[in-house]
Amino acid sequence: MRFDIISIFPEIFDGWLSQSLLARGQKKKILKLTAHNLRDWTDDKHKTVDDRPFGGGPGMLMKVEPIMKAVESLKSKVKSKKSEKARVILFSPRGKKFTQTEAKRLAKYDQLILICGRYEGVDERVADYLADETLSIGDYVLNGGEVAAMVIIETVVRMLPGFIAKTESAVKADHAQYTRPEEILIAGKKRAVPKVLLGGDHKKIALWREKHS
Ligand code: 6GU
């Protein structure tokens, strides 16, 4: 699966992209992730990506042309194979709420083109005519779509066959868990691991886990 991120701050993704799990997924050719600089699709001296809103108002909006050129060029990278399915997603606090169900749906595409909005917003024609859908990760406002893109990519890649090694779990344990030490002083009080987990009674452990899930 291919992820093409369009952003005016592509460096935001560098450290995150080199993190072990994502790097391993790329090495195993399960995914290919690229953060592109929107300014690469401008042709003026100042590489302008924003402009003032018609009708007035404070702040600047992201322009439609560079985004249009970026989407067109990134789509053509994969389109050569006709069967490949691409999806263009715009991130906005006004979008549809992203959930695990949405992640499952998105994992079926061959390419996601992710548009990270910044500033006070994006020319509405991006949402109306360029993006297939607009997503939000929750009811709060971020500075831009970059963090939302990371959230969505991490959720989607976990569903890709082979991304999670067999020894790991695609779904995190839904019960309380402990590791060593068996006992520790926290703010002067002894805090111990539940005794049942230290013994070998698997039936009792399963019961305890069910109760603490
Ligand atoms: Cl996708 N973008 C921004 N700017 N803020 C958000 C968001 C997205 N989702 C929740 N808040």
Side-chain angles (χ1 to χ4, degrees):
M1 187 166 183
R2 189 182 168 121
F3 297 85
D4 288 294
I5 304 161
I6 302 167
S7 166
I8 57 163
F9 297 120
E11 325 79 53
I12 287 181
F13 298 92
D14 291 349
W16 171 74
L17 272 174
S18 61
Q19 111 191 215
S20 61
L21 263 177
L22 284 176
R24 189 179 75 184
Q26 298 213 76
K27 229 170 134 190
K28 283 164 70 183
K29 305 265 190 239
I30 293 163
L31 59 128
K32 170 121 183 66
L33 255 153
T34 316
H36 305 272
N37 193 334
L38 180 61
R39 293 188 198 276
D40 293 348
W41 285 280
T42 57
D43 35 38
D44 64 310
K45 196 171 80 195
H46 298 104
K47 298 183 184 289
T48 310
V49 289
D50 63 328
D51 207 339
R52 299 190 322 269
F54 281 120
M60 301 286 268
L61 293 185
M62 286 177 81
K63 291 165 68 65
V64 62
E65 295 123 299
I67 297 175
M68 177 179 74
K69 287 179 185 160
V71 167
E72 280 170 359
S73 89
L74 293 171
K75 262 186 174 173
S76 68
K77 283 196 180 181
V78 153
K79 245 213 196 125
S80 46
K81 291 188 211 158
K82 255 221 180 112
S83 60
E84 304 253 330
K85 282 199 301 172
R87 190 83 171 161
V88 180
I89 298 170
L90 172 68
F91 294 118
S92 160
R94 285 164 54 208
K96 181 175 186 209
K97 185 89 62 72
F98 180 73
T99 62
Q100 194 72 28
T101 309
E102 301 300 314
K104 217 166 158 182
R105 176 174 63 80
L106 294 179
K108 298 198 176 106
Y109 288 94
D110 301 294
Q111 182 190 23
L112 294 185
I113 297 172
L114 308 164
I115 307 166
C116 302
R118 276 264 149 183
Y119 302 117
E120 283 74 16
V122 179
D123 186 309
E124 195 66 18
R125 286 170 290 188
V126 173
D128 288 347
Y129 309 114
L130 291 175
D132 296 309
E133 59 185 287
T134 305
L135 292 177
S136 159
I137 59 165
D139 295 333
Y140 36 78
V141 181
L142 303 167
N143 290 336
E146 282 79 5
V147 169
M150 290 186 212
V151 167
I152 286 170
I153 291 168
E154 286 212 8
T155 316
V156 171
V157 295
R158 293 177 60 79
M159 315 250 205
L160 300 179
F163 181 78
I164 310 271
K166 281 207 184 79
T167 51
E168 298 157 20
S169 173
V171 179
K172 292 254 193 274
D174 62 353
H175 53 76
Q177 297 183 103
Y178 301 84
T179 185
R180 290 183 294 180
E182 288 177 22
E183 211 174 85
I184 187 172
L185 281 177
I186 299 178
K189 285 195 175 117
K190 253 198 236 173
R191 301 298 184 187
V193 173
K195 281 234 159 39
V196 56
L197 300 178
L198 305 174
D201 190 333
H202 297 293
K203 225 175 182 170
K204 269 194 187 152
I205 290 173
L207 274 171
W208 185 93
R209 284 183 169 169
E210 203 179 323
K211 206 176 141 198
H212 295 85
S213 70

